[in-house]
Each structure stands twice: as C-alpha cells, then as structure tokens.
Amino acid sequence: MTIVENGKPVALLIRPDDYDGLVETLETMSDAELVADIEQARADYAGSSRFSVG
C-alpha cells in the first residue's frame, strides 16, 4: 500500500514477512564472498549433470 501526500508517494506499507525477505536479500547481496560462491555454484551446476560438494 502506498501512502501519498499532496499527490506524491511518501511511504509504503508492507507485510512483516515481505520486509524480512527484503532485508535478508540485501544482507546476502552485500556479502561479496557469498555472492561469488552462489555464482560459482550456479555455474558449476549449469555446466554439469553431476554436482559434488567438497
């Protein structure tokens, strides 16, 4: 829900679980090492029919 003042959006109301998801995504995306690990895992998975951990 958008709250408007004088015809301009000034605030948003979102459900707490949606907010928590946004915060978690921002925390993940701000961790460069974690993002690199995720990208590498995706590339490994896409390039092989086998997936190994270790």
Side-chain angles (χ1 to χ4, degrees):
M1 175 184 286
T2 303
I3 300 171
V4 293
E5 184 177 279
N6 299 321
K8 296 182 181 180
V10 294
L12 294 173
L13 292 178
I14 63 173
R15 296 180 318 164
D17 52 328
D18 290 339
Y19 175 78
D20 293 341
L22 288 170
V23 170
E24 184 176 347
T25 298
L26 289 172
E27 289 171 350
T28 298
M29 298 306 292
S30 68
D31 184 335
E33 185 176 340
L34 179 57
V35 170
D37 289 345
I38 292 168
E39 290 173 349
Q40 184 62 53
R42 286 181 175 167
D44 291 347
Y45 182 77
S48 174
S49 60
R50 296 179 69 191
F51 186 78
S52 62
V53 176

